[in-house]
Amino acid sequence: MKSTLIMAIGLALVFVGCQPKVQNLNVKQEHSEVSSEDCDIQIDRSVFSAADETINKSCMVLNGKIEKLVNDLKDSLRADATELFQTFADKPDERPDWKYELMVDDSVFMATDQFVSVRLRVYTFTGGAHGMTTYHSFNYDVKNQKFLTNKEILNYANAAQINTLLKANFKNPDGCFTMEPTLDLAGAINFNATSVYFLYGQYVLGAYACGSAEVVVPRVALKGDLLIK
């Protein structure tokens, strides 16, 4: 009996030792800013890398995807600014005294050799009473070089149960938000080792003044409705 117990413990230790160890990626912050007569642009974003060549190549795919989004945002803003302000070329006294603005930063929720989950916050001002903030999430399977959709992260077939969890974890102490969060309304979904984060942008759950809302649901509460492991 004693020898059997010792053998079982030994096998368990071997099994644990054979489990692949999760490695954190290197995360470098890159900053750039450009100012012109027509617009101001400021970018702060994370760049991922690894010592392992295969993992690093996968990181380059992710970095490239994020960089393309940022470049597209910059090009679009510049084009819109040029188009608008060119209309005042012959009447400089009527030219608006404001500039177009673009500010991008990010939040990294997870960065390992298994998954990267990062959210970009994009603020733009193109005139009017105020600017607008939007969000873009990137959830990436590093080893398979695959960008995960929300439906590959969560079981949308059981949206009703997930909506119950969202409502239970929703914090609205001032009562500013007038709608309840649901899975379909979430604008950006991210995750780390313990929780899943659901982001609702401006105007989605309430007035502009309420800003954005985030609901954090523990992974254990989602149980089988969380499809990633």
Side-chain angles (χ1 to χ4, degrees):
M1 182 71 178
K2 184 176 180 181
S3 60
T4 302
L5 179 60
I6 292 173
M7 183 179 295
I9 295 172
L11 288 172
L13 291 173
V14 169
F15 178 77
V16 171
C18 290
Q19 296 302 300
K21 184 179 180 182
V22 175
Q23 299 287 338
N24 291 329
L25 299 178
N26 300 318
V27 184
K28 177 183 177 183
Q29 300 299 315
E30 284 197 353
H31 171 82
S32 64
E33 54 184 284
V34 177
S35 182
S36 69
E37 184 181 14
D38 296 340
C39 59
D40 290 330
I41 298 174
Q42 179 175 311
I43 310 295
D44 291 282
R45 71 180 186 92
S46 301
V47 178
F48 305 93
S49 65
D52 181 276
E53 183 178 352
T54 301
I55 299 299
N56 194 59
K57 285 182 179 179
S58 183
C59 289
M60 291 173 65
V61 174
L62 171 62
N63 294 333
K65 185 84 168 181
I66 296 174
E67 183 177 19
K68 183 181 185 306
L69 171 62
V70 172
N71 287 339
D72 287 347
L73 290 168
K74 292 192 292 187
D75 292 344
S76 178
L77 185 88
R78 288 174 177 142
D80 290 349
T82 298
E83 181 180 1
L84 173 68
F85 291 119
Q86 277 183 345
T87 63
F88 298 97
D90 298 328
K91 40 187 177 182
D93 292 342
E94 299 179 19
R95 178 187 169 97
D97 58 0
W98 48 265
K99 296 181 181 182
Y100 275 51
E101 295 178 35
L102 171 66
M103 297 178 64
V104 179
D105 58 23
D106 66 27
S107 300
V108 178
F109 294 82
M110 176 176 276
T112 72
D113 58 1
Q114 291 185 333
F115 295 109
V116 174
S117 184
V118 57
R119 178 198 296 159
L120 268 64
R121 179 178 62 176
V122 179
Y123 169 83
T124 55
F125 178 75
T126 58
H130 51 70
M132 281 295 297
T133 301
T134 57
Y135 299 88
H136 303 265
S137 61
F138 292 86
N139 295 300
Y140 186 60
D141 180 338
V142 177
K143 292 187 176 179
N144 294 304
Q145 295 190 19
K146 177 180 174 60
F147 290 91
L148 301 172
T149 66
N150 290 344
K151 290 186 177 181
E152 290 173 314
I153 299 170
L154 295 161
N155 179 19
Y156 274 62
N158 201 15
Q161 177 60 30
I162 297 174
N163 289 343
T164 299
L165 291 171
L166 288 169
K167 180 179 178 180
N169 289 276
F170 183 39
K171 294 178 174 58
N172 186 20
D174 299 325
C176 187
F177 297 104
T178 54
M179 293 184 62
E180 294 180 347
T182 64
L183 182 57
D184 287 339
L185 290 176
I189 295 175
N190 293 91
F191 59 84
N192 60 19
T194 61
S195 304
V196 179
Y197 299 76
F198 300 80
L199 196 286
Y200 300 84
Q202 294 166 315
Y203 292 117
V204 176
L205 300 183
Y208 173 86
C210 299
S212 60
E214 184 172 63
V215 181
V216 183
V217 178
R219 290 177 66 143
V220 294
L222 288 160
K223 300 178 182 177
D225 291 326
L226 181 64
L227 304 180
I228 57 170
K229 305 302 178 185

